[in-house]
Amino acid sequence: MTEQKRPRPPWVETISLPGHRPTSGAPSPEQLIMDVRQGVLSGLFERGSLLPEVTRIREMYALGQADVLAAITCLKQEEVIQYHDEYQDIYFIDYHYGLDEANVVDQSDPSAARPMT
């Protein structure tokens, strides 16, 4: 039997993402990925910090559900974020990412799928 997760509490505080910037061209999942990576590597987003809800990210970046979920999947595969075990729709910054030089991401390539080694 699958364990059901609890609903996301309304009082949960999340990180502040910059969202889509019209000067950066058309909305893209790559911009979301790059914003989260840069926030982690710069220390702006602390390990354990929570991302906004998927619906809020969709609004901020003018992206569809599939694009936001694709960006989240990429960030999970890179171990930048993890899915919360107890609550629905909660992703948090993985505290291991960015701690050593092996996890430095090539910032000139926003579509980079894996950290550089």
Side-chain angles (χ1 to χ4, degrees):
M1 180 175 198
T2 305
E3 182 179 332
Q4 289 199 334
K5 294 187 176 197
R6 296 190 283 178
R8 182 184 186 120
W11 47 263
V12 169
E13 291 187 30
T14 63
I15 61 174
S16 179
L17 293 167
H20 173 65
R21 295 168 293 286
T23 57
S24 65
S28 71
E30 289 79 16
Q31 184 64 54
L32 169 58
I33 293 166
M34 193 166 69
D35 287 346
V36 174
R37 284 179 187 154
Q38 288 177 344
V40 169
L41 292 172
S42 71
L44 180 63
F45 305 149
E46 295 179 12
R47 279 75 182 161
S49 298
L50 303 178
L51 271 64
E53 293 177 272
V54 170
T55 54
R56 178 71 183 120
I57 294 172
R58 288 180 59 198
E59 294 168 3
M60 294 169 68
Y61 284 87
L63 295 172
Q65 177 103 0
D67 285 336
V68 171
L69 294 178
I72 286 173
T73 298
C74 178
L75 291 165
K76 283 175 26 183
Q77 289 173 342
E78 292 180 358
E79 298 180 357
V80 178
I81 64 173
Q82 291 185 25
Y83 191 60
H84 198 286
D85 290 334
E86 192 173 338
Y87 294 101
Q88 299 170 0
D89 193 28
I90 293 186
Y91 296 90
F92 63 94
I93 302 297
D94 183 320
Y95 62 91
H96 296 291
Y97 187 83
L99 291 179
D100 61 11
E101 292 181 28
N103 284 332
V104 175
V105 176
D106 181 2
Q107 299 298 327
S108 66
D109 182 5
S111 64
R114 298 294 307 162
M116 293 175 31
T117 55

